[in-house]
Amino acid sequence: MPPAPMGWASWNTGATGTKVVDIAYTNGGNAARTALLQVKGQQATTVSFPPTGSWTTPGTVSVEVSPAKGSSNTLTFSNPTARTTDFDTIEVRPLPGPNGAQVVGQQSNRCSGINNSTESRTGRGRTR
């Protein structure tokens, strides 16, 4: 019989947007172990947990998730064909940035016309 899914406590999300889930775990095996991570019935994503060297040496993996606003969100880990890793702690936090806002760079516009260029090119250099 395959291992059963492992659910985690629910939390309420005050605002929409991407969150970061930090997962502390141990994997004393020789190969990475995987688990499917699903947030409140949404599309599952595969998370890989590399070996940590021993079953007492922790490692951390961070995953971005998009929970539903204001409702109870449950993280569910599962693997229908193999054992997952040993979980220690799980923390859900906002994306890094001012006041939890995602840090986004500004466009330079240096390459803005690259797709609209009318210059033709050949293998021997520029054609005029």
Side-chain angles (χ1 to χ4, degrees):
M1 173 178 243
M6 183 184 311
W8 292 93
S10 299
W11 84 98
N12 289 327
T13 305
T16 59
T18 304
K19 305 292 182 199
V20 177
V21 177
D22 294 321
I23 308 160
Y25 70 97
T26 58
N27 177 1
N30 294 327
R33 292 186 176 201
T34 60
L36 294 174
L37 169 59
Q38 191 172 36
V39 180
K40 194 178 181 176
Q42 296 176 13
Q43 179 73 30
T45 186
T46 300
V47 182
S48 180
F49 299 94
T52 58
S54 77
W55 292 105
T56 57
T57 303
T60 305
V61 171
S62 297
V63 181
E64 291 182 3
V65 298
S66 297
K69 179 183 179 184
S71 62
S72 181
N73 289 280
T74 302
L75 297 174
T76 304
F77 291 90
S78 64
N79 186 325
T81 60
R83 291 171 118 352
T84 62
T85 190
D86 288 349
F87 298 100
D88 184 28
T89 60
I90 296 176
E91 178 185 1
V92 179
R93 61 184 173 85
L95 279 174
N99 299 318
Q102 184 175 5
V103 178
V104 178
Q106 207 170 28
Q107 198 172 16
S108 69
N109 291 324
R110 289 185 289 185
C111 298
S112 61
I114 199 162
N115 291 328
N116 298 323
S117 176
T118 57
E119 263 188 345
S120 62
R121 304 224 177 224
T122 65
R124 291 172 294 186
R126 217 156 69 177
T127 305
R128 295 176 196 240

